[in-house]
């Protein structure tokens, strides 16, 4: 059998949150709420769905390589088309960045327990993957700036961050940016941008453009289009030009491109999604705090809850699952004592809270077997 490099053998692949079908099979439950993958509980943007249906008749033709969506985004953001790239989700673009920029001796730098999608991509390239710890569950930008070496090629920052939901502020980013050499590429992953954009301290990266920063955004979250795979990025034209050489020529698909173009017009859906999410976050913050849980303040569409121990996190996740709520245990992120819970429909979020009350009630009456060991 052909040999693969040792770093591929050693790679832990991305494991997605449990699907509703799997939970149904395991527990034979009539009603399942999947709150494990930060998806939009309202479904896909209806305007995008109509556009995708209209695009089906043209599927005998090759797609444009994202050209039409690039043009639309350039108009909206008052940029040149050459400053815009589209791809199969923001992860598709991240994969191209890894392929385009990294040499064997380069290092990537990010926070500990960063978004796993990025970790897997970087490690699949076999380069050194260096991290610094969080500070109060936020990126420690000062420590990251200090950790830059002459080998650092890419710094990955997700803002808001997954899995913590926290943001770094404009002030913190400005301070950090002054310490980053021009030869270092900063990936600013703004997958949850729309949820955070109205926060007064949020640094919307489109308000200041730097030559060594690429902004990544996605239709997977607020527009409810995770299943079709469409994302986009903004950067200096030289940077985008090099990515365009490496990207698969017919990515994204014609259907995905049609969805993206249409979704941008669906203001009503965006508004409804934001309102629902804000209510969900308020509910979780209040109800979980009342149960004595720590809820990390989130600017995204999920909350992270650090529990007393990995054992307790496991039991609570299992207890919620048995009752029909799938949440995300964060073991794969390197945070086995933490759970991440996405906001759902109003009913699903309420059910999640009710299930958590039951499960935490049991936790209070049964002594923690891990502690009595
Ligand atoms: C921080 C972050 N970036 C990127 C992604 C992936 O986005 P896409 O579906 O556009 O590839 C996610 C999805 O969970 C995410 O949390």
């Amino acid at each position: 059998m052909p040999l693969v490099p040792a770093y591929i053998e050693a790679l832990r692949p991305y494991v997605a949150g449990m699907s509703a079908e799997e939970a149904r099979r395991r527990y034979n439950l009539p009603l399942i709420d999947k709150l494990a993958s930060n998806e939009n509980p309202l479904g896909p943007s209806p305007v995008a769905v109509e556009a995708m249906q209209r695009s089906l008749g043209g599927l005998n033709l090759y797609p444009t390589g994202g050209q039409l969506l690039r043009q639309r985004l350039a108009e909206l953001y008052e940029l040149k088309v050459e400053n815009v790239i589209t791809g199969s989700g923001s992860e598709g673009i991240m994969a191209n960045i890894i392929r385009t920029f990294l040499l064997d001796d380069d290092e990537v730098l990010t926070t500990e327990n960063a978004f796993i999608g990025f970790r897997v991509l970087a490690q699949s390239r076999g380069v050194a993957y260096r991290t610094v710890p969080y500070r109060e569950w936020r990126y420690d930008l000062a420590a990251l700036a200090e950790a830059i070496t002459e080998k650092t090629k890419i710094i990955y920052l997700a803002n808001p961050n997954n899995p913590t939901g926290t943001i770094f502020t404009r002030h913190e980013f400005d301070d950090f940016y002054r310490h980053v050499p021009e030869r270092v590429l900063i990936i600013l992953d703004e997958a949850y941008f729309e949820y955070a954009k109205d926060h007064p301290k949020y640094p919307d990266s489109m308000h200041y453009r730097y030559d060594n920063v690429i902004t990544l955004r996605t239709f997977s979250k607020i527009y409810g289009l995770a299943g079709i795979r469409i994302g986009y990025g903004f950067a200096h034209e030289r940077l985008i030009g090099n990515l365009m050489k490496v990207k698969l020529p017919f990515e994204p698909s014609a259907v995905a491109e049609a969805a993206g173009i249409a979704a941008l017009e669906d203001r009503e859906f965006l508004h409804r999604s934001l309102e629902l999410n804000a209510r969900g976050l308020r509910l979780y913050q209040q109800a979980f705090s009342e149960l004595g849980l720590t809820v990390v303040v989130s600017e995204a569409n999920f909350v992270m809850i650090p529990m007393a121990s990995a054992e307790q996190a496991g039991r609570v996740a299992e207890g919620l699952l048995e009752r029909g709520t799938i949440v995300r245990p964060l073991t794969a992120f390197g945070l086995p004592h933490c759970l991440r819970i996405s906001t759902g429909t109003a009913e699903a979020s309420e059910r999640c809270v009710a299930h958590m009350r039951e499960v935490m009630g049991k936790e209070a009456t049964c002594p923690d077997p891990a502690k009595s060991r």
Side-chain angles (χ1 to χ4, degrees):
M1 205 188 288
L3 284 178
V4 299
Y7 56 82
I8 299 289
E9 287 281 6
L11 198 59
R12 279 172 289 135
Y14 184 93
V15 181
M18 183 183 289
S19 69
E21 287 65 40
E22 192 183 337
R24 206 167 282 129
R25 259 201 316 278
R26 270 225 244 162
Y27 291 99
N28 201 20
L29 290 161
L31 182 64
I32 307 259
D33 299 309
K34 183 181 177 222
L35 305 178
S37 301
N38 308 339
E39 294 148 334
N40 191 326
L42 292 177
S45 143
V47 175
V49 171
E50 270 178 40
M52 286 191 275
Q53 278 160 349
R54 278 197 307 273
S55 77
L56 296 180
L59 287 187
N60 54 316
L61 304 175
Y62 279 101
T64 68
Q67 192 60 14
L68 299 175
L69 178 56
R70 289 175 79 199
Q71 280 162 4
R72 184 69 198 113
L73 286 162
E75 275 165 27
L76 270 179
Y77 286 87
E78 298 179 353
L79 299 166
K80 288 186 284 188
V81 172
E82 290 77 12
N83 295 121
V84 187
I85 190 163
T86 59
S88 298
S90 48
E91 272 201 79
I93 305 173
M94 258 184 245
N96 284 330
I97 297 173
I98 301 283
R99 284 214 294 154
T100 305
F101 287 94
L102 291 175
L103 296 167
D104 291 352
D105 286 340
D106 289 339
E107 294 179 355
V108 302
L109 180 61
T110 187
T111 185
E112 220 169 74
N113 324 110
F115 171 52
I116 321 176
F118 177 75
R119 174 179 57 73
V120 173
L121 283 172
Q123 291 181 334
S124 74
R125 178 63 186 78
V127 296
Y129 179 82
R130 295 182 48 239
T131 59
V132 301
Y134 287 120
R135 194 177 178 144
E136 295 172 357
W137 297 120
R138 298 167 66 241
Y139 269 82
D140 187 345
L141 290 186
L144 274 169
E146 276 190 26
I148 297 171
T149 68
E150 68 282 5
K151 289 190 171 178
T152 306
K153 175 63 86 56
I154 290 180
I155 300 178
Y156 171 79
L157 308 174
N159 203 33
N161 181 43
N162 176 11
T164 59
T166 52
I167 58 167
F168 52 80
T169 65
R170 205 173 310 144
H171 183 68
E172 286 166 331
F173 183 71
D174 289 345
D175 260 2
F176 165 76
Y177 187 78
R178 278 193 275 116
H179 294 92
V180 181
E182 265 181 43
R183 62 177 168 78
V184 176
L185 173 66
I186 301 174
I187 302 179
L188 256 185
D189 179 344
E190 296 182 343
Y192 302 95
F193 161 78
E194 293 85 354
Y195 300 103
K197 68 180 183 344
D198 295 327
H199 188 289
K201 292 187 176 168
Y202 181 71
D204 176 347
S205 61
M206 296 307 289
H207 288 168
Y208 40 93
R209 296 305 317 157
Y210 294 122
D211 290 354
N212 60 337
V213 175
I214 181 161
T215 297
L216 297 183
R217 293 191 185 162
T218 184
F219 290 99
S220 295
K221 305 295 173 185
I222 196 91
Y223 293 106
L225 294 170
I228 197 75
R229 312 305 303 132
I230 182 82
Y232 55 103
F234 300 115
H236 188 279
E237 56 211 66
R238 277 232 312 277
L239 208 153
I240 296 287
N242 282 312
L243 289 174
M244 291 297 289
K245 294 179 208 165
V246 169
K247 131 185 192 313
L248 294 177
F250 297 118
E251 174 195 352
S253 75
V255 183
E257 182 174 38
I261 293 169
L264 288 170
E265 310 306 320
D266 201 347
R267 310 305 301 171
E268 199 265 333
F269 186 74
L270 186 91
H271 185 70
R272 263 198 302 139
S273 303
L274 282 176
E275 292 250 295
L276 177 66
N277 183 58
R279 269 191 282 144
L281 288 182
R282 275 198 301 272
L283 173 72
Y284 284 174
Q285 188 70 47
Q286 190 181 343
F288 296 152
S289 302
E290 279 169 13
L291 292 172
L293 296 167
T294 302
V295 185
V296 177
V297 174
S298 170
E299 308 301 333
N301 63 347
F302 55 87
V303 294
M304 189 178 88
I305 304 179
M307 312 287 295
S309 64
E311 288 79 5
Q312 185 182 42
R315 280 196 310 274
V316 170
E318 194 63 25
L320 294 172
L321 187 58
E322 283 167 11
R323 290 165 174 78
T325 298
I326 313 176
V327 301
R328 183 82 147 122
L330 295 178
T331 310
F333 281 77
L335 296 168
H337 68 297
C338 295
L339 299 177
R340 194 190 65 198
I341 309 182
S342 314
T343 59
T345 58
E347 299 75 22
S349 297
E350 291 282 359
R351 279 193 290 271
C352 172
V353 164
H355 293 157
M356 186 67 98
R357 282 198 188 106
E358 286 177 21
V359 172
M360 290 311 292
K362 263 181 81 181
E363 284 291 306
T365 51
C366 305
D368 184 339
K371 279 189 199 148
S372 57
R373 248 187 256 139

